[in-house]
Amino acid sequence: MYILGIETSCDETGVAVYHPEKGIVSDLLYSQVKMHNEYGGVVPELASRDHIRKLVPLIKACLKQGNLASNQINGIAYTAGPGLMGALLVGATTARSLAWTWCVPAVAVHHMEGHLLAPMLEDNAPEFPFVALLVSGGHTMLVRVDAIGCYHLLGESIDDAAGEAFDKTAKMLGLGYPGGPKVAALAEKGTPRFKFPRPMTNRPGLDFSFSGLKTFTMNTLNSTEKTEQDKADVAYAFQMATAETLVIKCRRALQQTGLNRLVIAGGVSANTQIRASLQAMVEQEKATLFCPPLKYCTDNGAMIAYAGYQRLSVGQQESLEIFAKPRWPMDDLLSV
Ligand code: KG4
Ligand code: ZN
């Protein structure tokens, strides 16, 4: 059973093919980062137009890479949300049209379920149940995962997502888009000079808030002369505060659920400092940390192909309706 996965929810066109015994047999990604960089962030209309240009050639190249003919594809999975409406529609219409032409089922995949299941693509995949920390540009969530499709939200950000805070901090520091990797690189030259707050950690619960941290970062930066060292010290303090905040909440989630497996996924899980801080915490808690390979932390087609396989293999499929939901709460997902 070969499943073609299509991801177009934001600024990456991702296409991959998954096979249950062989794993990911082909995987291609086209990033629009360079195009959006000029504008300091994603321009939705440009994103949609670029997905239109790149998606079909990428699908052809992906089949070629896997030595596959189109009649070997048994199902198509596409990201149906959450994300940018125009961008989602490109993936959804392409997937639905191909599925109709090839006479195979198509299934709509929730982007965050894709991220959540990405660590399953590793040889050392976590067993259920586990706690998952999903940290991307649009979401920060702690989820208890009992089985595929059986998700219980433990906490989430009440304002900005962690990735959004990284991106806004990068903007303040005059770094380009996307900001996460740039803030991380600058932080390596920083020193522990400033102490930033760890938001919402001194009250109970598992929700997050990152907008205050953003303001604190701005005020601290404005109190300096903005030399290169000042900026590096601010980046260091911001990254440390974010990492420690995530550590405190994840530790609490493991203790509250009594679980000993922690999975991290989403773009921010590529951050080396955050991975190291969480690794140190799980060792103290006698738990295990599972991370997706770096290339599957940020958006990609492989995670969508895998999540789609899980849903198609239990018979889930939909009508010919083109399904795109820019907002799509994870609790609406069907158990499989
Ligand atoms: O999961 P993702 O590719 O897209 C969304 O679903 O949002 O995540 C993108 C986010 C961006 O905010 C980006 O700045 C952040 O992940 N990111 C990072 C790193 N790499 C990507 N944040 C911190 N450190 C990184 N190394
Ligand atoms: Zn994502």
Side-chain angles (χ1 to χ4, degrees), residues 3 44 65 74 80 89 201 216-217 221 255:
I3 305 299
Q65 189 191 58
N74 307 102
L89 276 172
T201 51
F216 198 92
T217 306
L221 184 65
Q255 288 172 349

Side-chain angles (χ1 to χ4, degrees), residues 91-159:
T93 36
T94 308
R96 279 262 161 247
S97 312
L98 281 178
W100 186 78
T101 314
W102 294 347
C103 298
V104 295
V107 69
V109 170
H110 191 290
H111 181 78
M112 297 312 289
E113 185 177 43
H115 276 305
L116 181 77
L117 299 180
M120 299 291 193
L121 291 167
E122 277 282 63
D123 291 338
N124 172 30
E127 278 172 37
F128 299 114
F130 56 77
V131 171
L133 172 71
L134 296 180
V135 268
S136 72
H139 295 83
T140 302
M141 299 195 269
L142 270 165
V143 183
R144 182 194 163 109
V145 181
D146 287 300
I148 289 181
C150 193
Y151 311 128
H152 177 67
L153 185 68
L154 301 171
E156 64 185 331
S157 178
I158 57 166
D159 42 57

